[in-house]
Amino acid sequence: IHAHTLLMLRNVGEHELEDVHVSRLLSSLSFLSLHHTWNANHLDMPEPEIFEVYHHHRRGIVRWFERQQKLREYKRFNSVLQEVHKQFATID
């Protein structure tokens, strides 16, 4: 599901990124990093596509966080971080 979520968000432009997009991108990437064995062909899609999504959005996500800091939008900033940290609770 997380890999498919990433693919659905791959065409969201940098200026269209909202907290829900950033949260889902980072949560899905965190989940896959924690639970998926790369290069084992366990996904229903090619792994390079997932890496492409990450590299496509990496700069936009960093800029989104920087904008939140400049605008002092700490509530939005913290809500995204809290959502991503939920993935760490799934570690065995």
Side-chain angles (χ1 to χ4, degrees):
I1 291 174
H2 290 280
H4 290 281
T5 299
L6 288 171
L7 290 180
M8 289 189 314
L9 294 171
R10 72 174 148 193
N11 293 323
V12 175
E14 181 179 333
H15 298 291
E16 299 171 305
L17 283 177
E18 296 288 333
D19 46 339
V20 67
H21 300 119
V22 174
S23 178
R24 288 188 179 155
L25 284 163
L26 292 177
S27 293
S28 293
L29 287 167
S30 297
F31 184 88
L32 289 172
S33 294
L34 292 170
H35 298 286
H36 176 65
T37 303
W38 298 98
N39 297 322
N41 296 323
H42 294 299
L43 294 177
D44 294 337
M45 64 198 61
E47 291 177 353
E49 289 187 35
I50 295 171
F51 287 112
E52 178 186 349
V53 173
Y54 171 69
H55 289 289
H56 174 75
H57 284 295
R58 183 175 51 181
R59 182 172 292 157
I61 291 170
V62 170
R63 287 183 181 157
W64 184 88
F65 276 111
E66 289 173 344
R67 272 194 312 273
Q68 303 315 306
Q69 285 183 317
K70 286 180 185 176
L71 298 172
R72 298 192 184 273
E73 292 284 343
Y74 298 115
K75 183 177 179 183
R76 293 175 72 192
F77 186 93
N78 286 330
S79 69
V80 168
L81 292 180
Q82 288 173 354
E83 192 64 34
V84 173
H85 281 270
K86 287 179 185 177
Q87 295 304 321
F88 294 106
T90 62
I91 299 175
D92 296 327

